[in-house]
Amino acid sequence: MTSHVFLLVFAAALAASVAVRLWLAMRQAGFVRAHRETVPGAFASRIGIAAHRKAADYTVAKQRLSMLHVVVDAALLLAMTLGGGLASIVGWTETVDVGPLWRDVAMFAIAGVIYGAVNLPFSWWHTFRIEERFGFNRMTMALWLSDLAKGLAVAIALGLPLLVLVLWLMRAAGTYWWLWAWGAWMAFQLLVLVLYPTVIAPLFNKFTPMENSAARERIESLLGRCGFRSAGLFVMDGSRRSGHGNAYFTGFGKAKRIVFFDTLLLRLAPEEVEAVLAHELGHFKLRHVMKRILWSAVLSLAILALLAWLAQAPWFYAGLGIPESMLPIALSRPGVALELFLLVLPVFTFMLEPLSSLYSRRHEFEADAFATRHASAAALTAALVKLYEDNAATLTPDPLHSAFYDSHPPAAVRIARIEALVAREPMPLAA
Ligand SMILES: [Zn+2]
C-alpha cells in the first residue's frame, strides 16, 4: 500500500458514506411526507390524523438537521486529515515543554475541544429548536449547561485515566500492547457498568424507589413468574428534561436495577407497564445483553489489532494528511496513530451499520415474543401504540432507511408479528 492509494481509498469511502447518508435521509423525508395525510390502516382506529401529521413533521425536521450534520462532520474530518488540521496540532504540541505522553494527551484535548465546539450547536438546535417546537423539551438553558458541565467532568474523570493508560501501554508494552490495551478497555467497560447506575446516572437524575401501586404489584408478580431477581425498582424524573418515555435495566448480576421514566408510568396503564417490562426482561432472559457485550469484545479486539498494524505503516499517516517531514514525529508518538484511527474509523465501519441494525431488530422480535408469553400481548400492542404516538415516531418509515438504521422494527411490522403470535398460541398466563 502506498500513501496515494490509501488517500484514494479514504476519500472514496468518505464520499460514499456521505452520499449514502444524504440519500437515505432524503428518501426518509420524502417517504414520510408522501404518507403524511393518511394514517396506515392498522392504526386508523388508534392514532388520529393530527398525531400522525405531527410525527411526520417531527421526522422531517430531524432528517434535515441530520443532513446538515453529515455535511459538517465530513468537512471537519477533511479539515483535520487532508487539510492538515491534526498535523498542525501535532506540530504545535511537539513544542510544548512536557513529556511525550502528555504531548499526546494535549493533542487529544485540543482535538476534543474542536469536535465539541462543532457538535455543540447541533445538540442545542436539536433540544431548543426541534424538541421545543414539537412540545417535547422540558429543559431550561441552565439545565442544559449544567448537564454539559457534568458530562464533561464525567468524561474527563473516566476518559483521561483510560487515555493515559492506553497511551502508556502503546509505548511500554511492546509488540503486543494491543492485547493489554484490550484488557484495559474491557475492565473499563465493566467499571462503567458498575458506576453508571450508582454514581453517574444519579448526577443527572433523581431515582426514587417505586411506590406501592397496582403497577408495582403486577411488576413484582411478573418478576416472580420469570424468576428474576433485582436490586430494586426505581422511578426516574425523566420529565425534567423531556416528554419522551422509556424503561431500562442497568447494572448486572444481583445488582440489576429496573428504571422507569416517570413519563412512562403516567401514560401507561398497569398492565401496559407490565407488558413493556416483560419485553425488557426478554432481552435479559434471552441473553441479548450478554451477546452484545461479547460481540463488542470481539470487535474491539479486532479493531485494536488493526490499529497496531496501521500504527507502524508510514502510508497510514501520509495518506491522512501528515506531511513526509513529520513522519518521524508521528511514528514516535503513538497518540497520533490512535487519534487518526479514531477519526477515520467511522467512515469505514458505516457500511456495517445495516448488519448491526438487523441483529438488533431480530432481538426486538424475540423480546416481543417473550413478552407475549409472560404478559398480555394486547397490552403490549396498546403500550407500543401509545409510545409511538408520544414519541412522535413515524408509522411510515422509508423501508430502506429503516433497514439500514433502525434498531427497532417499524411499528406496523412489529405489531403484525405480535398479533400473528397470539393467533397461533393460546392466551398467556397473565391475560
Ligand atoms: Zn427492546
Side-chain angles (χ1 to χ4, degrees):
M1 181 82 79
T2 68
S3 58
H4 293 292
V5 173
F6 185 58
L7 190 153
L8 285 176
V9 169
F10 168 62
L14 179 61
S17 80
V18 168
V20 170
R21 279 180 200 274
L22 293 179
W23 177 62
L24 287 172
M26 280 192 295
R27 280 185 63 111
Q28 172 80 334
F31 201 92
V32 167
R33 231 185 263 119
H35 294 83
R36 185 178 183 272
E37 296 307 322
T38 328
V39 182
F43 300 94
S45 62
R46 296 186 270 211
I47 287 184
I49 185 70
H52 181 67
R53 285 189 187 130
K54 175 181 166 181
D57 297 342
Y58 180 56
T59 306
V60 171
K62 283 195 296 184
Q63 289 303 322
R64 281 213 193 105
L65 183 66
S66 84
M67 286 168 78
L68 183 63
H69 206 169
V70 166
V71 174
V72 169
D73 258 352
L76 178 59
L77 179 58
L78 280 176
M80 287 295 275
T81 53
L82 307 186
L86 191 69
S88 308
I89 300 173
V90 172
W92 184 76
T93 50
E94 195 59 20
T95 65
V96 181
D97 191 18
V98 290
L101 190 150
W102 293 99
R103 286 181 188 152
D104 280 349
V105 172
M107 175 191 66
F108 269 91
I110 295 169
V113 167
I114 293 172
Y115 268 81
V118 170
N119 283 309
L120 215 53
F122 285 96
S123 156
W124 182 87
W125 192 274
H126 178 259
T127 302
F128 292 105
R129 289 295 157 117
I130 298 180
E131 295 288 300
E132 184 80 40
R133 191 172 120 209
F134 290 91
F136 293 125
N137 180 41
R138 310 241 172 105
M139 261 206 252
T140 59
M141 194 63 193
L143 181 59
W144 189 75
L145 287 173
S146 100
D147 277 3
L148 192 68
K150 286 184 204 166
L152 198 64
V154 170
I156 293 173
L158 289 173
L160 186 61
L162 177 70
L163 178 66
V164 170
L165 177 61
V166 169
L167 289 173
W168 179 77
L169 286 170
M170 288 178 92
R171 287 177 162 80
T175 321
Y176 292 104
W177 67 263
W178 51 280
L179 277 178
W180 291 99
W182 181 72
W185 172 240
M186 288 292 108
F188 176 77
Q189 303 251 51
L190 203 68
L191 181 73
V192 170
L193 221 52
V194 176
L195 290 183
Y196 183 78
T198 48
V199 179
I200 302 171
L203 289 175
F204 296 89
N205 281 97
K206 224 165 72 196
F207 293 82
T208 34
M210 194 176 188
E211 280 170 30
N212 283 320
S213 62
R216 188 180 171 126
E217 263 169 46
R218 294 196 78 114
I219 290 166
E220 279 176 345
S221 114
L222 170 72
L223 294 176
R225 284 202 303 281
C226 298
F228 186 89
R229 275 193 296 174
S230 91
L233 300 168
F234 291 85
V235 180
M236 190 190 102
D237 58 346
S239 56
R240 266 184 87 199
R241 291 188 176 78
S242 144
H244 296 304
N246 205 352
Y248 68 91
F249 285 87
T250 79
F252 63 103
K254 278 184 204 148
K256 282 189 293 290
R257 291 175 169 206
I258 300 168
V259 176
F260 294 94
F261 284 35
D262 52 359
T263 32
L264 185 91
L265 293 179
L266 278 175
R267 183 70 167 114
L268 299 186
E271 56 176 355
E272 292 165 355
V273 173
E274 180 192 15
V276 168
L277 181 64
H279 169 97
E280 296 301 327
L281 266 176
H283 283 308
F284 243 87
K285 284 278 166 183
L286 301 166
R287 304 197 174 278
H288 294 161
V289 182
M290 196 44 102
K291 284 179 192 163
R292 287 241 141 208
I293 293 174
L294 285 177
W295 263 113
S296 99
V298 171
L299 272 177
S300 49
L301 183 63
I303 283 173
L304 279 165
L306 179 65
L307 169 60
W309 176 61
L310 290 173
Q312 303 172 334
W315 53 260
F316 172 68
Y317 303 89
L320 293 175
I322 303 288
E324 295 281 337
S325 60
M326 286 181 78
L327 283 182
I329 297 174
L331 283 159
S332 72
R333 280 178 52 178
V336 178
L338 181 61
E339 178 74 74
L340 269 180
F341 186 74
L342 292 176
L343 291 182
V344 304
L345 187 65
V347 171
F348 294 98
T349 53
F350 169 66
M351 292 296 169
L352 297 175
E353 195 146 333
L355 285 180
S356 144
S357 305
L358 185 70
Y359 188 60
S360 166
R361 289 196 300 270
R362 209 178 70 192
H363 285 171
E364 292 307 323
F365 284 131
E366 289 173 11
D368 280 345
F370 181 92
T372 63
R373 287 195 298 275
H374 297 275
S376 154
L380 180 61
T381 308
L384 285 175
V385 171
K386 279 188 189 173
L387 291 178
Y388 270 89
E389 186 174 1
D390 288 2
N391 291 324
T394 181
L395 299 172
T396 55
D398 169 47
L400 210 60
H401 183 279
S402 175
F404 206 99
Y405 290 116
D406 286 355
S407 60
H408 289 62
V413 179
R414 203 169 160 190
I415 289 171
R417 281 257 194 135
I418 295 171
E419 282 167 357
L421 279 174
V422 177
R424 228 182 304 140
E425 285 171 27
M427 278 312 277
L429 300 167

